Amino acid sequence: MNVGLKTLILPANEAAVAKAARCLAEGGLVAFPTETVYGLGADAANAGAIARLYEAKGRPSFNPLIAHVGDIAAARRIARFDATATKLAEAFWPGPLTLVLPKTTDCAVADLATAGLDTIAVRVPAHPVARAILRTFGGPVVAPSANLSGHVSPTSAAHVQSDLAGRIDLIVDGGAVTVGVESTIVGCFEEPMLLRPGGLPRGEIERVLGRPLVRPPEDADNDAGQPLAPGMLASHYAPRTKVRLNAESVETNEALLAFGPDSVRGAEAATAVMNLSPRGDLSEAAAHLFGYLRALDTKGARAIAVMPVPHHGLGEAINDRLRRAAIGR
Ligand code: TXA
Ligand code: MG
C-alpha cells in the first residue's frame, strides 16, 4: 500500500503544471482539476503506475479508466472513430463528454487501464489546467475521479486531500470545478448508447445525432457479469450517511438537501440545511451536488433528506448520482 507518501499540494500555475507532467512521466499519481470533477492521473502507458492508481483509490481493477488526451488527433491514435464518434467529438470536445470506442491495434494505453476490454473510454477535457498538463506531458493520461472508490467524487482540491492525502504524489489545486458531475459517457456501438448521464445533457447529444440515445440493458447497473459500463455499480457516489430521496418533509435528526425556492415541512428543525440552487437552476445544482453531500455527511445526521430535483437537462445526471448515493454501501 502506498499510504504514507508525502502528498504535495500546489496552486495551479506554470511550475505546478511542469511538476505534474514530470511526476506523471516518472510513474507518479497526480490529482488535477477538470471541468467536471478532479481526476487522479497516471501515465496511461505505464502499467505499474496504473496498478498503484487502482490501489490508491481502493478501486476494483475490473473497472476500466478514461484516457484523457489533448485533442481529437491524439484520441485517434488510441481509438477508432466512426462517423457518429467524429460528429460527437467535433461538436463537444473539449468538454464533458466521454466516448467509448474500439481500441486501435497499436493503442499505447496499458491493458490494465481498459480492464481487458477491446474498447477504450476517451475524453478531451476543457479545463485549462487539465489541458496544460496533457500538453506538457505529451501522452494519454488515465484519470478516474480522485476519490476513494465508492465515495462521492471530488469537486475541490480539499475533497481530494481528505480522501487521498498520503496515497498520491501531487494535488494541483485549481479551485472549485464548474460542472460538478462527471462526464456523460456515450458508447459508440451500432446504436449510440448513453452509458452514464453526466455533465453534457442527453438532449444536446441527441440534437447533434438527430436521434435518441439508446439505454443500456437493465443489468448494466449491477456488478455481476460483464456490464457494458463496468463502473456503473449500483452503489457508487455514496456518502456515509443514509440518503432519503424525494423528501416532502424533514424527519427527526435529518439534514436537508434542498432544491429551489420552496421549503418543506420540518425544515426549520433539520440538523443542517443546504440548498443546491435556491433559484432552481440545474447547472448551479450540479456544481454544488457533491460538495454539499460531503458537507452534510459530516453533520452527524441520521439521514440526509433530499428534495425532488426535476429530471430534465442536467437533472438526469443529478438524479442518477442521488439514486446511487441513496443505495448506500
Ligand atoms: O468526468 C469524468 O469523466 C471524470 C474526470 C476525471 O474526467 N472521470 C471519471 O472517471 O468519472 P471514473 O473512472 O470515475 O469513471 C469512468 C467510468 C467508469 O464507470 C468506467 O466503468 C467507465 O467509465 N468506462 C471506462 N472504460 C470503459 C469502457 N471501455 N467501456 C465502458 N465503460 C467504461
Ligand atoms: Mg468515479
Side-chain angles (χ1 to χ4, degrees):
M1 208 46 213
N2 43 2
V3 174
L5 274 180
K6 183 165 170 2
T7 302
L8 193 60
I9 304 173
L10 298 174
N13 56 29
E14 243 173 79
V17 167
K19 173 87 184 160
R22 227 168 25 245
C23 187
L24 289 168
E26 289 163 359
L29 303 180
V30 178
F32 59 87
T34 82
E35 72 279 24
T36 56
V37 299
Y38 273 70
L40 177 59
D43 176 358
N46 183 335
I50 295 164
R52 270 185 287 112
L53 188 158
Y54 281 123
E55 196 185 21
K57 272 190 64 102
R59 178 171 184 136
S61 51
F62 57 75
N63 190 355
L65 305 171
I66 298 172
H68 295 66
V69 293
D71 53 34
I72 300 188
R76 285 186 191 282
R77 288 195 278 276
I78 58 175
R80 293 208 315 269
F81 283 68
D82 62 6
T84 301
T86 301
K87 208 177 204 181
L88 293 178
E90 284 174 351
F92 298 115
W93 281 354
L97 173 69
T98 294
L99 298 176
V100 172
L101 302 168
K103 277 199 240 185
T104 55
T105 43
D106 57 352
C107 176
V109 175
D111 287 335
L112 186 56
T114 50
L117 299 170
D118 49 19
T119 55
I120 186 163
V122 193
R123 153 162 139 81
V124 177
H127 196 292
V129 174
R131 295 180 66 69
I133 291 172
L134 288 170
R135 198 165 48 239
T136 310
F137 174 65
V141 171
V142 284
S145 49
N147 51 281
L148 287 173
S149 187
H151 200 190
V152 179
S153 287
T155 53
S156 72
H159 296 162
V160 179
Q161 195 184 358
S162 92
D163 272 25
L164 296 177
R167 293 169 168 260
I168 65 176
D169 299 288
L170 173 62
I171 300 171
V172 179
D173 184 351
V177 303
T178 51
V179 177
V181 290
E182 301 85 346
S183 61
T184 302
I185 305 182
V186 172
C188 295
F189 311 136
E190 270 107 286
E191 301 256 50
M193 185 180 284
L194 182 66
L195 295 174
R196 176 175 76 181
L200 179 65
R202 166 208 290 272
E204 292 190 32
I205 300 169
E206 293 180 337
R207 210 165 309 128
V208 165
L209 291 178
R211 58 170 162 161
L213 290 164
V214 300
R215 309 190 138 276
E218 275 307 312
D219 63 358
D221 232 27
N222 61 49
D223 54 355
Q226 275 290 18
L228 285 162
M232 297 306 281
L233 308 183
S235 161
H236 212 93
Y237 313 105
R240 292 177 180 83
T241 312
K242 184 170 166 282
V243 172
R244 187 169 69 81
L245 300 182
N246 297 318
E248 278 166 2
S249 63
V250 180
E251 288 160 20
T252 318
N253 293 331
E254 281 189 332
L256 176 65
L257 186 60
F259 176 84
D262 301 332
S263 193
V264 289
R265 194 158 34 80
E268 61 297 331
T271 309
V273 180
M274 297 185 92
N275 193 324
L276 289 169
S277 173
R279 60 192 161 95
D281 178 89
L282 289 166
S283 303
E284 183 181 42
H288 288 153
L289 178 66
F290 290 142
Y292 286 8
L293 280 174
R294 278 181 185 256
L296 293 178
D297 203 15
T298 66
K299 304 294 184 193
R302 187 173 55 75
I304 301 169
V306 185
M307 282 171 64
V309 175
H311 205 68
H312 59 83
L314 283 176
E316 184 175 12
I318 294 171
N319 283 315
D320 171 82
R321 303 311 187 266
L322 285 170
R323 187 171 57 78
R324 290 167 200 285
I327 293 166
R329 269 173 291 170

